[in-house]
Amino acid sequence: MSSPVATKAAPAESVRDLHNRIADRLSGLVNHTSLALVNRLAIAAIFFYSGRTKVDGFLTVNDSAYALFRDEYKVPLIPPDIAAHMAAYAEHLFPILLVLGLLTRFSALALLGMTAVIQIFVYPDAWTTHLSWAGLLLYLVARGAGSLSFDRAFGIR
């Protein structure tokens, strides 16, 4: 009679099993709430600091913002002075809402729209930057703000 022989796992199975164990541990560390919070803060900072360059004081659109929209950005269909105001205000309002986690999906969609306009009409060669912004924003549109947010406190999905 032959005794049972312990079979050794194939190397590929061992690597796969190790990878899966590590992935399980990481999944517990990096949950939706922490990922959403990091995404909200990161993309909010990008747009908010951009908005601050367009204003003096609290929200007075400065001459350099008007010049940018008139001479460099040239967004179609919207007069430069109106576009400068819209961008300056949007780059303040939506990032603040994202930091608070209030109306997160709407705010992320608005900034995604701005990203598309910037990509298509202003800086088409900067697609790698805009793609990274879109990745952060699309996550927030799809998954929401997470539990550390006013959306959750107010029952907003």
Side-chain angles (χ1 to χ4, degrees):
M1 232 171 167
S2 61
S3 63
V5 178
T7 58
K8 198 171 190 182
E13 291 175 11
S14 297
V15 170
R16 183 195 65 216
D17 292 343
L18 175 62
H19 177 274
N20 289 344
R21 283 194 304 275
I22 292 170
D24 289 341
R25 294 236 173 145
L26 291 175
S27 292
L29 294 174
V30 183
N31 58 24
H32 166 61
T33 295
S34 58
L35 189 55
L37 180 61
V38 168
N39 286 2
R40 286 172 22 217
L41 296 175
I43 199 68
I46 291 166
F47 279 92
F48 186 81
Y49 286 126
S50 175
R52 294 307 301 155
T53 67
K54 293 175 180 70
V55 298
D56 293 327
F58 181 61
L59 283 177
T60 304
V61 177
N62 58 36
D63 292 338
S64 63
Y66 291 123
L68 270 177
F69 279 86
R70 183 181 59 247
D71 303 330
E72 186 176 341
Y73 293 171
K74 299 180 183 177
V75 177
L77 304 175
I78 303 172
D81 56 330
I82 294 173
H85 280 272
M86 289 173 62
Y89 300 151
E91 287 179 327
H92 284 83
L93 173 64
F94 297 123
I96 290 169
L97 290 174
L98 284 180
V99 167
L100 296 173
L102 181 59
L103 303 174
T104 301
R105 292 175 199 259
F106 173 76
S107 299
L109 266 175
L111 293 178
L112 190 59
M114 284 187 69
T115 300
V117 169
I118 295 166
Q119 171 58 39
I120 295 166
F121 299 111
V122 181
Y123 296 121
D125 292 337
W127 65 270
T128 54
T129 298
H130 303 144
L131 187 61
S132 66
W133 297 355
L136 297 172
L137 291 164
L138 284 169
Y139 181 86
L140 295 172
V141 169
R143 301 285 309 274
S147 60
L148 294 176
S149 67
F150 280 103
D151 283 350
R152 180 62 60 92
F154 296 144
I156 300 171
R157 279 193 29 156

